[in-house]
Amino acid sequence: CGECNSHHHDLPPIPTVSPASPHRWARIPTGAPQPDRTLTPAPTRYPARMTPSRTLRSGAILAALAVALGAFAAHGLKPRLDAAMLANFETGARYQMYAALALLALGTQPGQRRAPGFLLAGAAVFSGSLYVLALSGVKVLGAVTPLGGALMIAGFVLAALDVKKEQ
């Protein structure tokens, strides 16, 4: 053509794009059969984050870490920490084990969708803050510990509320 020096006129015409195409660059000729685009959600009783298998896996890992950290406190930290800081560390390991055992139990129960996340977060905040407090001596972290405890309490309350009624 007079406006350009290319040979684009030799190319076949581009088919029209259907308004139902999945992508604006997809080239589905008008009149071609269109795929069914309706989405049917998969039936599920649990949110994607805390499935029963993830709850069991989290409980097992949390329990293993609690045992390892308790042993570390008894054998590695005893000569290095004063009695109060060692007690803080051991309290963290004990409550981590409580949360782990609860997660292992909840993973076997249908309908427990909310409690596992609260228990896991609560154990991480409660026990984690006690571990860091004991190892660093930073007293400000003691203010974070009750938040973890509140999350764990909420998890236990939700576990009780979400128990399925016997039929």
Side-chain angles (χ1 to χ4, degrees):
C1 72
E3 295 180 26
C4 65
N5 293 328
S6 71
H7 301 291
H8 63 83
H9 296 288
D10 299 335
L11 299 173
I14 297 173
T16 59
V17 177
S18 166
S21 66
H23 191 276
R24 68 184 193 140
W25 300 110
R27 295 192 173 130
I28 301 173
T30 304
Q34 299 295 317
D36 180 20
R37 302 252 183 255
T38 59
L39 297 176
T40 306
T44 180
R45 295 185 314 190
Y46 301 95
R49 290 179 295 211
M50 289 304 284
T51 61
S53 63
R54 286 183 183 166
T55 299
L56 288 168
R57 190 176 303 117
S58 298
I61 291 169
L62 211 59
L65 286 173
V67 171
L69 289 168
F72 174 64
H75 301 290
L77 294 179
K78 196 170 191 176
R80 295 187 174 99
L81 295 179
D82 64 37
M85 289 298 145
L86 186 60
N88 284 337
F89 198 95
E90 289 172 344
T91 298
R94 186 171 55 254
Y95 277 79
Q96 181 175 330
M97 182 59 81
Y98 296 156
L101 294 173
L103 287 170
L104 289 170
L106 291 175
T108 66
Q109 300 302 307
Q112 290 293 338
R113 299 179 305 179
R114 302 180 294 175
F118 278 87
L119 286 167
L120 187 58
V125 174
F126 183 87
S127 297
S129 65
L130 287 176
Y131 297 146
V132 175
L133 170 67
L135 295 173
S136 70
V138 177
K139 304 274 188 214
V140 173
L141 292 171
V144 176
T145 306
L147 297 175
L151 286 170
M152 288 179 69
I153 292 168
F156 283 113
V157 169
L158 288 171
L161 294 174
D162 289 344
V163 170
K164 294 285 185 181
K165 293 181 181 176
E166 293 182 28
Q167 297 180 0

